[in-house]
Amino acid sequence: MSLGRALEQVGTALDSLEIPWMLAGSAASSTWGEVRSTQDIDIVASRMSQVSLCRALPAERWYADIDMVIDAARRQSMFNLIELETGWNVDVILRKGREFSRAEFERRRRAVVDGVEVWVASPEDVLLAKLEWAKSTGSERQPRDAAGIVAVQGPALDGA
């Protein structure tokens, strides 16, 4: 299963439950910047019915530990879905309540990712998130992703 097919299945399930969502993380930075390999898909959801989402995905294709899903709902955090055939890992993250996170969600854009039209965090917000993540973790990969966005987007980035 391709990235696009995994996104299409999870996105369709979220849409059917009327849960607004967006692609974030490395898949989003690859959308706006330099492409890099990943087996991880980060999806941010504005609100969540975790158990309903798990039930909306075909059980023969997707694995979710229902106890972890329920715990994530209780803690308002994240859980993961695993596509059984390919091992794609989809981290489903509940949007934070901070002002930046709400504004980031409002700025999301439609983009084609691996042949599928999806909601994606804006390039500016992905860039900021990558720099914030780098600062908190010391990861060297995050600044490279941010630099890739700047290299590809250049003057198209909103500098306001």
Side-chain angles (χ1 to χ4, degrees), residues 8-144:
E8 182 178 44
Q9 286 188 9
V10 175
T12 297
L14 286 162
D15 292 343
S16 74
L17 296 167
E18 299 181 353
I19 298 171
W21 62 280
M22 69 180 180
L23 182 63
S26 298
S29 68
S30 289
T31 300
W32 303 123
E34 294 174 354
V35 177
R36 76 167 167 91
S37 178
T38 182
Q39 277 292 107
D40 180 68
I41 303 169
D42 294 327
I43 289 180
V44 178
S46 68
R47 57 182 170 75
M48 185 51 62
S49 174
Q50 284 97 326
V51 174
S52 296
L53 174 59
C54 293
R55 289 183 180 143
L57 291 166
E60 66 277 3
R61 292 182 131 156
W62 291 91
Y63 171 78
D65 181 323
I66 200 66
D67 291 329
M68 288 180 71
V69 170
I70 291 168
D71 185 56
R74 184 184 52 76
R75 292 183 298 111
Q76 293 192 333
S77 63
M78 65 164 278
F79 66 98
N80 64 4
L81 303 166
I82 300 170
E83 199 281 317
L84 296 171
E85 183 179 320
T86 61
W88 277 110
N89 178 59
V90 179
D91 291 330
V92 182
I93 306 156
L94 187 62
R95 189 195 74 206
K96 295 176 181 77
R98 65 188 182 157
E99 182 59 34
F100 173 78
S101 297
R102 287 190 294 274
E104 173 187 40
F105 208 80
E106 291 173 10
R107 289 187 295 263
R108 68 194 171 134
R109 299 180 188 172
R110 296 294 280 179
V112 176
V113 176
D114 198 23
V116 178
E117 189 174 351
V118 297
W119 288 105
V120 184
S122 74
E124 295 84 1
D125 288 328
V126 176
L127 179 100
L128 291 172
K130 289 289 183 175
L131 294 175
E132 181 179 52
W133 189 249
K135 184 177 178 183
S136 68
T137 66
S139 166
E140 293 180 18
R141 185 177 293 168
Q142 308 309 321
R144 281 196 306 265

